[in-house]
Amino acid sequence: TRKIDLDKNLDRFEYENVAVEAPIKVFLNGKHLATVMASPQNLAEMAFGLLIDEGVVPQPGDVVNVSIDKNEVWVESRRINLDRFKSISAGVIVTSCSSRTDFHRVIEELKMSPLPLEQRVEASDILDMAAELVKRSVTFRSTGGVHSAALFIDGAMEGFAEDVGRHNAVDKAIDSCLMKDVPLQRAVLVTSGRQPADIVLKAARCRIPISVSLRAPLSSGVYAADLTGVTLICFARGRRMNVYSHPERINPLRTI
Amino acid sequence: TRKIDLDKNLDRFEYENVAVEAPIKVFLNGKHLATVMASPQNLAEMAFGLLIDEGVVPQPGDVVNVSIDKNEVWVESRRINLDRFKSISAGVIVTSCSSRTDFHRVIEELKMSPLPLEQRVEASDILDMAAELVKRSVTFRSTGGVHSAALFIDGAMEGFAEDVGRHNAVDKAIDSCLMKDVPLQRAVLVTSGRQPADIVLKAARCRIPISVSLRAPLSSGVYAADLTGVTLICFARGRRMNVYSHPERINPLRTI
C-alpha cells in the first residue's frame, strides 16, 4: 500500500491490514441455501446463526450436525421451515449494502406475539455496553473494514463477533449465545452497523427486546421495531443516544 | 424519537430525520430482474445505472424507454446480456451488507482489456474531490443513514447521488454521467462506502480508472482493482490517503 500524507510530506510503501471477505456457501440437508460474502472465521456460528435468526430452522436443538469444508458449511437439521428456505434461496432481494429481504416479511413477522415490556435498563448501562463493543473491536481498529456485534445479559458480554457484513456479525454473536442457552429475553444486542428491518427482525425472532447501534437507523428498521415491540436505540456514542421505538424499557433520567 | 444525553442531563422527545429505504422492483423488457432496497429517489438513474454497471445492458444507447410506476421501474432495451440477467435475477449471493456477487465474476471480468495507465492525478486533487463529496452529502448530515457517490471529470463534479445502499449511490452517480455522455475514461469515482469487488468492478466495466473511498477497502476490492487496472484509493480523508493498487496514476510527492 502506498501511503500519502500531505501534512507530513509522506509518500511511501507500507504494509496495511485489509479486511478479508470470501464467498461462504451454506448448505442445509445437502441443499444450497445461500452464498454469503463474509469474514472467513467462525463459519459454523455464522451458518447456525443465519438459519435460526432467519427462521429457516425453528429451534437450535433441531440442528444435529455442522461440518466445515474450507469455505463451505454443511448443516444437518431435523426440521426445516421450507417457506423460509425457499424465500432465502430464491434471493428476491439483490441487496444494497443492506437488507436480505423486503417489507413483506415485516408483515409476516406480525404473526409473532409482541415482546413483553417488563425489562427495564438504565441509559448509562446501554452506553457502557456500546463503549465495551468499541473496545472489543480489534479487527475494526486494524482494518477499518468490518462491523461488530455483541450480546449482553445483565450487563455482561455473552457473545461477540466481527465480520465484513453487519448481518453476519449479528448472526455470529447471537449464535454463540444460542449454543450456551442464555436467556435471550433479557438480552441487549449491540452492533456497529445501521439498523434496517432485517437486523431488527433477527432480534425480534430470537425474543431479544433491545437492539442498540452505534450508527443510524433506517426507516424500515424503525417500522419493524415499532411493530414487533423491539426497543431500537441508535447513535449510542459517548454519553448520548436516540431511542426510536418503545422507549418505556429505558428508565427516565431525572431531568431538571 | 426520545433523545437522551447524560452530559446535558437531557431526556426528551424530539423530531429526528431517518433515512428512508424502500423495496424498488426493476423490470427489464417486462421481466423481473431484481428488487433492491434503496432510497426512493432517482429511480430511473438507479435502474439505468444498475443495468449498465452490472453489464446486463451492453450500452446506454440500447435503452429505448424507462418508466416509473411508484416503486417499480420498467426498462425497455434493444439488447440484453442474458447471462448477466440470469446471474443477477438468480441472486446467488444473499448479501452481507456488501457484495451482489462473488469472486467468480472477478475472473470473468479479466476478459476485459486492462484500463490504460496514462491518466495522472495529483494526490491533493483527489483529496479535494473527497472533501467536495463530504460537503455535498446533505442527506448524510441530516440522517447519518446514507452513502454518497460522485463522479469527477478533470476535477469538476459531473454526477452525484445519495442512497441507503452504497451500490445504489454509485449506480445513480454513474448514470447521471452516462446520460450526459461524459468521457468516463478520464473520470474519478469518489464514494463514502467501503470498496468490495463489485463496486470496483462497476468502475472497471465503465472504464473509470480511479476509484476513491473515504472508508476502508475489502480484500475482494483490492484483488479486483489489481486485476482490472483500477487505481483503488481508500481512507481519503483530510490530508491523507492510502493507494492499494496501480499507484502509478498518482503523481509522486516530492518527499524530503
Side-chain angles (χ1 to χ4, degrees), chain A residues 2 4 6-7 11 19-21 23 35 37 94-96 103 144-145 164-165 168 194 219-220 239 241 243 247 250 253, chain B residues 2 4 6-7 11 19-21 23 35 37 94-96 103 145 164-165 194 216 219-220 239 241 243 247 250 253:
Chain A
R2 178 174 160 196
I4 297 178
L6 301 185
D7 284 334
D11 185 352
V20 175
E21 62 169 3
T35 304
M37 293 298 286
V94 180
T95 99
S96 58
F103 281 106
V164 289
N168 304 334
R194 288 177 294 166
S219 59
S220 66
R239 302 269 285 168
M241 63 196 215
V243 189
I250 310 302
L253 292 192
Chain B
R2 177 175 163 198
I4 297 177
L6 301 185
D7 284 334
D11 186 352
V20 176
E21 63 169 2
T35 304
M37 293 300 285
V94 180
T95 102
S96 57
F103 281 107
V164 289
R194 285 177 295 165
S219 60
S220 66
R239 303 268 286 166
M241 60 197 219
V243 189
I250 310 302
L253 293 191

Side-chain angles (χ1 to χ4, degrees), chain B:
Chain B
T1 304
R2 177 175 163 198
K3 292 187 85 163
I4 297 177
D5 188 325
L6 301 185
D7 284 334
K8 294 183 184 152
N9 195 35
L10 176 149
D11 186 352
R12 67 171 176 234
F13 284 82
E14 253 178 42
Y15 180 78
E16 284 283 322
N17 286 315
V18 172
V20 176
E21 63 169 2
I24 310 298
K25 292 191 174 176
V26 179
F27 295 85
L28 181 57
N29 290 357
K31 284 184 199 128
H32 182 224
L33 171 68
T35 304
V36 182
M37 293 300 285
S39 300
Q41 288 93 34
N42 307 104
L43 297 186
E45 284 82 352
M46 187 199 79
F48 194 89
L50 172 68
L51 295 170
I52 306 291
D53 306 352
E54 296 290 325
V56 182
V57 166
Q59 297 286 340
D62 294 327
V63 173
V64 288
N65 192 40
V66 179
S67 65
I68 294 173
D69 179 14
K70 286 178 190 156
N71 284 351
E72 296 184 350
V73 191
W74 296 76
V75 181
E76 298 292 324
S77 171
R78 263 188 290 267
R79 290 191 298 166
I80 297 181
N81 178 343
L82 257 183
D83 284 347
R84 296 293 303 133
F85 185 99
K86 278 183 201 153
S87 101
I88 289 181
S89 63
V92 179
I93 294 284
V94 180
T95 102
S96 57
C97 168
S98 60
S99 298
R100 277 181 178 142
T101 179
D102 73 18
F103 281 107
H104 303 298
R105 244 180 53 204
V106 177
I107 290 144
E108 169 207 329
E109 286 307 312
L110 280 178
K111 292 179 203 155
M112 197 186 76
S113 58
L115 292 161
L117 281 169
E118 57 260 31
Q119 207 199 9
R120 289 286 184 279
V121 182
E122 302 296 325
S124 59
D125 289 343
I126 297 284
L127 292 168
D128 287 348
M129 296 177 213
E132 206 172 325
L133 182 79
V134 172
K135 213 170 112 191
R136 275 290 295 276
S137 303
V138 292
T139 312
F140 177 76
R141 272 198 295 282
S142 145
T143 67
V146 296
H147 280 290
S148 51
L151 266 181
F152 291 84
I153 313 275
D154 303 331
M157 194 188 280
E158 295 284 341
F160 174 80
E162 288 184 293
D163 197 287
V164 289
R166 59 185 175 206
H167 296 80
N168 304 333
V170 169
D171 286 335
K172 289 176 177 178
I174 291 182
D175 178 63
S176 39
C177 290
L178 287 175
M179 288 179 163
K180 287 192 283 186
D181 211 24
V182 299
L184 291 179
Q185 70 279 9
R186 283 193 282 134
V188 177
L189 173 67
V190 187
T191 70
S192 70
R194 285 177 295 165
Q195 292 267 323
D198 52 357
I199 299 236
V200 170
L201 291 177
K202 281 179 195 289
R205 212 180 271 106
C206 296
R207 313 297 287 169
I208 297 168
I210 301 176
S211 184
V212 179
S213 169
L214 310 183
R215 299 229 174 96
L218 295 177
S219 60
S220 66
V222 176
Y223 181 64
D226 237 2
L227 295 181
T228 55
V230 169
T231 295
L232 180 64
I233 299 171
C234 293
F235 297 114
R237 295 174 190 170
R239 303 268 286 166
R240 60 181 207 81
M241 60 197 219
N242 292 349
V243 189
Y244 289 87
S245 61
H246 305 287
E248 317 84 292
R249 291 198 183 92
I250 310 302
N251 284 335
L253 293 191
R254 277 181 301 179
T255 55
I256 307 150

